[in-house]
Amino acid sequence: MKLKIAFMLSLFFICNQKVEASYCCSSWKFNHWNQLGISATTYYPLSTGILFDYDINRSFNIGLDVGYMPFLYTNSMNQAAALFGSNWDQKTQDTIQKSLDSSMSISLLFKFFPLRANGLFVSAGYTFLGFGGDFIGVDTLSLMFPNLIESPEGQNLILTQSEVLLETYSHNVRGSIGYRYFINKNIALSGELGVFKTIKVHGNPDEVEPYINDLFVDLLTIPFAGIGIGYYFK
């Protein structure tokens, strides 16, 4: 009798596992919101690139955006700096321009859809920017950071080398609201408006890092607008 009961319980457990596995697979296959998407995106004036995103469920989405900063956007950054009162000369502007033109960006994004049926979402995320290294003269550094040359670190740069390779990496946070609309089963358009803020900057050489950090943290708090078109696998 005990063997019979044990056999029936084992049979029930096996059947139950098969049902659950079948439900899991069919749920994954036919659930409209469990999907991977690849989109071409642009966030003016931050970056242009490719977004890989995944709908975790009906309310939450996670994405990875990889891109770069095109010339039009870097030029806008220089104009924004001028509006904030920078008195850089043409050589300094050219140096910054070349560094930004070589930049790359990686963003980790989280989206919450409070009204999923209407496509509205709220997004928050982190962006890493790596600005391309560019050789820059100490005279240009003195224009960009007037207090640098008077410091012991600046004097050391003058004594050791006339040009330095300036490399900059920044950590940034961003937040936005947006809308995603499916044209058909697989193609979607999206748009969003948000704010981008630099929170920490690392620079090379080490002597320049404190000045670069202060400059970018104070300067880079900017609004942005994003659009994208993507294909979602189902």
Side-chain angles (χ1 to χ4, degrees):
M1 183 65 179
K2 291 182 179 180
L3 291 176
K4 185 176 181 180
I5 294 175
F7 175 77
M8 293 178 65
L9 289 175
S10 299
L11 185 62
F12 173 79
F13 177 79
I14 292 172
C15 292
N16 184 59
Q17 291 299 311
K18 289 183 177 180
V19 169
E20 288 182 358
S22 176
Y23 173 77
C24 172
C25 295
S26 63
S27 175
W28 166 259
K29 184 176 181 180
F30 296 106
N31 188 335
H32 180 72
W33 302 114
N34 284 345
Q35 56 186 306
L36 174 68
I38 301 178
S39 304
T41 61
T42 184
Y43 302 98
Y44 180 81
L46 303 178
S47 66
T48 293
I50 301 295
L51 170 67
F52 302 89
D53 68 341
Y54 172 71
D55 286 334
I56 299 173
N57 54 36
R58 291 180 62 88
S59 298
F60 294 97
N61 172 289
I62 185 171
L64 180 69
D65 187 272
V66 180
Y68 75 103
M69 192 179 293
F71 174 82
L72 174 63
Y73 294 8
T74 60
N75 189 49
S76 298
M77 287 291 191
N78 261 332
Q79 292 175 357
L83 290 175
F84 275 83
S86 69
N87 57 351
W88 299 339
D89 66 355
Q90 188 61 46
K91 184 177 180 181
T92 304
Q93 291 186 30
D94 292 342
T95 299
I96 296 172
Q97 183 79 58
K98 285 188 288 185
S99 295
L100 294 177
D101 284 342
S102 304
S103 67
M104 55 85 66
S105 69
I106 300 176
S107 299
L108 182 62
L109 306 172
F110 298 91
K111 295 177 183 176
F112 170 60
F113 291 81
L115 301 172
R116 193 57 181 260
N118 296 323
L120 179 69
F121 64 82
V122 179
S123 176
Y126 161 83
T127 297
F128 173 84
L129 286 175
F131 302 115
D134 186 50
F135 282 100
I136 182 171
V138 175
D139 55 340
T140 302
L141 282 174
S142 67
L143 290 170
M144 295 172 64
F145 314 110
N147 297 327
L148 173 63
I149 299 303
E150 300 176 2
S151 69
E153 295 85 359
Q155 292 298 312
N156 183 59
L157 285 175
I158 292 175
L159 292 173
T160 56
Q161 49 194 336
S162 60
E163 285 192 331
V164 296
L165 180 62
L166 183 64
E167 297 178 320
T168 308
Y169 310 95
S170 70
H171 305 278
N172 317 270
V173 292
R174 58 199 286 174
S176 65
I177 58 173
Y179 182 79
R180 186 173 70 178
Y181 173 73
F182 279 89
I183 300 175
N184 56 34
K185 182 180 178 181
N186 301 104
I187 306 296
L189 297 174
S190 63
E192 58 188 292
L193 296 173
V195 176
F196 178 90
K197 169 67 177 173
T198 298
I199 56 174
K200 181 66 177 177
V201 175
H202 300 290
N204 181 46
D206 294 339
E207 295 91 338
V208 182
E209 180 174 314
Y211 301 93
I212 293 178
N213 184 74
D214 291 344
L215 173 69
F216 277 83
V217 171
D218 291 341
L219 176 64
L220 290 186
T221 302
I222 55 177
F224 70 89
I227 57 174
I229 179 169
Y231 181 87
Y232 287 79
F233 302 91
K234 298 181 180 180

